[in-house]
Amino acid sequence: MRIRLDIAYDGTHFRGWARQPGLRTVQGTLETALARILAGNPSLVVAGRTDAGVHSTGQVAHLDLDEAQRARLEQGRRTPADPVSALAGRVRGVLGAYPDVTVTRTSLAPEGFDARFSAVWRRYTYRIADEVSGYDPLQRERTTSVRARLDVDAMDAAARSLIGLHDFAAYCKPREEATTIRTLLEFDWHRAADGAVVANVRADAFCHSMVRALVGACVAVGEGRLDPSDVVALRDEGVRTSAFKVLAARGLVLSEVGYPTDELLAARAEQTRARRTRE
């Protein structure tokens, strides 16, 4: 039995998603809670591993249950008619009042579903307070402050110029044998009702630190330190640069993960497992 979990968390006090010995992580916290309910060693597969300090309102993971865990899920006089959907509430009960991570929904995964490899895109937002918006202490854990009056129109123009299938090596922290070719589907900026400057970034996948680097380049444009056309020139050079600063994790939120229709899930997973190449 494969179960889909929809997850939200405040990443401030986590050392990222991935389980690490001796460190508090989102995966480790959730798997500990699931073990109390299901026993054994539950192991989550996630749509996108977030770094330390990154938040999420739309993370997705899956969990495979063995026969013993399935029996444990379904047993008991108080088990509801749909024990799979009830699992979310049971996890929340274990996590306690006001936790910084929660499971918002659990459901039986469709045939062929893989939280990581079936995904067709991920969406992130990034929130910045500048001299126009001012500093809001109630938003301090999810907002990066910039001491400048940002030109949002210039940032938006720079962001949109990066959209498409490209090698984003200049905006990624290199990892051995990992491709940096990605399809950037959406990238734009706007000023929210409260004055904050917010980025919307959607791609088929992201390499390590890519969103925070893209955001940092656009902030350099908004501050007047880079021209909007420079972000494409830097991308095409294909090497890391000190022309802009990679911004802090605190302003970054994984907000949504997109999947194809059920009949295409397995094919998408197989396609994604293949190494990306420029076509």
Side-chain angles (χ1 to χ4, degrees):
M1 175 186 286
R2 176 165 291 184
I3 296 175
R4 169 176 167 158
L5 299 90
D6 291 85
I7 301 163
Y9 47 88
D10 177 340
T12 304
H13 301 296
F14 288 108
R15 294 297 296 274
W17 166 269
R19 184 193 319 108
Q20 301 179 63
L23 298 177
R24 185 170 186 261
T25 67
V26 180
Q27 182 181 16
T29 299
L30 289 174
E31 288 177 352
T32 298
L34 287 164
R36 288 184 58 182
I37 299 167
L38 302 171
N41 297 295
S43 181
L44 293 170
V45 175
V46 73
R49 293 186 177 187
T50 50
D51 294 334
V54 177
H55 317 297
S56 179
T57 56
Q59 182 67 276
V60 179
H62 77 245
L63 171 68
D64 290 329
L65 303 188
D66 59 29
E67 289 302 319
Q69 290 171 326
R70 180 171 181 171
R72 190 177 176 96
L73 177 68
E74 296 173 347
Q75 72 184 6
R77 289 181 303 172
R78 297 183 179 180
T79 302
D82 185 1
V84 173
S85 62
L87 179 60
R90 296 176 68 182
V91 174
R92 292 193 295 268
V94 172
L95 292 171
Y98 307 110
D100 49 4
V101 57
T102 190
V103 176
T104 58
R105 180 175 178 264
T106 48
S107 56
L108 189 64
E111 182 78 22
F113 176 81
D114 184 294
R116 178 185 178 191
F117 290 115
S118 294
V120 292
W121 50 260
R122 287 89 171 159
R123 186 189 304 279
Y124 283 85
T125 61
Y126 196 98
R127 178 181 164 90
I128 298 173
D130 68 349
E131 290 183 352
V132 175
S133 65
Y135 173 73
D136 181 353
L138 297 182
Q139 301 290 344
R140 68 189 184 280
E141 302 290 8
R142 69 184 191 102
T143 307
T144 295
S145 293
V146 173
R147 295 183 178 179
R149 181 181 292 267
L150 295 175
D151 183 340
V152 180
D153 289 339
M155 294 167 66
D156 187 60
R160 292 176 186 275
S161 71
L162 291 167
I163 292 172
L165 172 64
H166 303 286
D167 189 338
F168 285 94
Y171 295 100
C172 297
K173 187 174 181 180
R175 287 182 169 176
E176 189 174 355
E177 297 184 0
T179 180
T180 51
I181 296 172
R182 297 290 188 268
T183 302
L184 190 58
L185 299 166
E186 297 177 21
F187 189 15
D188 53 76
W189 290 87
H190 70 277
R191 196 174 285 279
D194 64 357
V197 180
V198 180
N200 162 58
V201 193
R202 184 169 71 95
D204 60 341
F206 294 92
C207 45
H208 193 212
S209 82
M210 179 175 166
V211 180
R212 293 190 290 127
L214 291 171
V215 166
C218 288
V219 167
V221 171
E223 293 173 329
R225 294 188 290 109
L226 289 178
D227 186 82
S229 63
D230 290 338
V231 298
V232 170
L234 291 170
R235 181 200 66 201
D236 292 345
E237 288 177 5
V239 294
R240 295 283 280 185
T241 175
S242 59
F244 58 85
K245 181 181 179 181
V246 176
L247 291 196
R250 69 190 312 120
L252 185 59
V253 178
L254 172 60
S255 60
E256 190 179 4
V257 181
Y259 293 94
T261 54
D262 289 357
E263 64 272 16
L264 298 177
L265 288 167
R268 172 62 184 180
E270 182 177 354
Q271 176 188 24
T272 308
R273 287 187 178 95
R275 184 179 176 87
R276 292 180 179 85
T277 57
R278 191 190 298 274
E279 298 178 353

